[in-house]
Amino acid sequence: MSESNLVCLAKAGDSRAFASLLERNRPRLFRKIESMVRQKEDAQDALQECFLKAWLHLDRFEGKAEFSTWLTRIAINEALMLIRKRRPMETFADSEIEISDFRLCPQRHYFGSEARAFVWHEVARLPQELRMVFTMRYMQELSTTEVACMLDLTTTTVKSRLYRVRQHLRDRRMNRRMNADFHSSVP
């Protein structure tokens, strides 16, 4: 039976048709999620959440795209949510390593924190569409494709916005250096 026929039946309440749709997509979705979360158990949990959300929101599927595309979007969102939930623990573990490294070299810690403060200050001043792309790509460490998918943009648009942010940061850093040089040369 075709995907569109199964979707019609599932929307009418046929749970066997819905189960058939899920089974057709399960292996591909599991591989996609597992490649993102990198843990089999987490991938299984995210896939179950994906299937549950698909069932609960099946009435929202409009058929503008393939059902498999819609389901993939839900799966990617679930994987990203799982990654975000895990991030604070991973960041804490990484920061402990950084702290011990900085004890060995206090200058490195000072300049690293100064640079981070500069970047955060400048990023906070950006328009929301640039700030969001930068934060997702560099702070949440999502791929360009994942950012594009999450924000419903093309990868070209994401790359263009990232370029604009990097250019802005370069320009601001250059202005900052020129101002510092100017002030240090004034008697």
Side-chain angles (χ1 to χ4, degrees):
M1 191 176 295
S2 74
E3 184 178 85
S4 59
N5 288 341
L6 287 171
V7 170
C8 287
L9 290 171
K11 280 186 153 192
D14 186 338
S15 60
R16 285 180 293 173
F18 186 73
S20 180
L21 286 166
L22 298 184
E23 284 309 311
R24 285 182 180 190
N25 290 283
R26 179 185 297 274
R28 181 183 52 77
L29 292 175
F30 181 78
R31 284 191 306 273
K32 176 64 179 166
I33 294 170
E34 189 177 31
S35 75
M36 293 174 69
V37 300
R38 296 188 176 109
Q39 291 181 355
K40 187 175 184 175
E41 296 78 19
D42 287 345
Q44 289 169 340
D45 291 345
L47 186 61
Q48 288 304 314
E49 284 296 316
C50 166
F51 289 167
L52 177 62
K53 286 191 176 170
W55 176 251
L56 294 174
H57 302 290
L58 187 59
D59 60 324
R60 293 185 187 169
F61 176 67
E62 298 173 355
K64 292 179 182 174
E66 297 291 322
F67 179 79
S68 57
T69 304
W70 182 73
L71 198 56
T72 301
R73 168 76 121 204
I74 296 171
I76 289 170
N77 288 344
E78 286 305 312
L80 292 172
M81 292 297 288
L82 187 63
I83 290 167
R84 272 191 229 110
K85 287 177 187 174
R86 275 194 326 214
R87 184 85 54 207
M89 290 184 289
E90 292 171 1
T91 303
F92 178 71
D94 291 343
S95 68
E96 286 183 335
I97 294 167
E98 287 178 14
I99 290 169
S100 65
D101 289 347
F102 290 141
R103 285 186 199 134
L104 300 174
C105 181
Q107 295 87 358
R108 182 173 158 202
H109 173 67
Y110 173 75
F111 291 116
S113 62
E114 184 179 310
R116 278 191 299 276
F118 168 75
V119 168
W120 278 115
H121 174 75
E122 291 302 323
V123 168
R125 298 173 57 190
L126 292 170
Q128 182 177 357
E129 70 269 3
L130 297 178
R131 187 173 56 243
M132 187 175 295
V133 167
F134 179 86
T135 302
M136 292 175 81
R137 177 67 183 98
Y138 294 109
M139 301 304 145
Q140 296 177 2
E141 299 177 5
L142 301 176
S143 71
T144 305
T145 305
E146 291 167 337
V147 173
C149 186
M150 288 291 294
L151 298 177
D152 200 23
L153 300 170
T154 65
T155 55
T156 305
T157 301
V158 170
K159 288 177 182 179
S160 172
R161 289 180 183 181
L162 289 170
Y163 175 80
R164 288 172 49 200
V165 172
R166 287 190 301 269
Q167 192 64 44
H168 171 79
L169 292 173
R170 269 189 225 110
D171 292 347
R172 295 296 298 158
R173 187 179 67 212
M174 190 63 83
N175 289 343
R176 187 175 171 201
R177 282 184 183 160
M178 288 181 355
N179 285 339
D181 289 346
F182 174 76
H183 290 297
S184 66
S185 67
V186 174

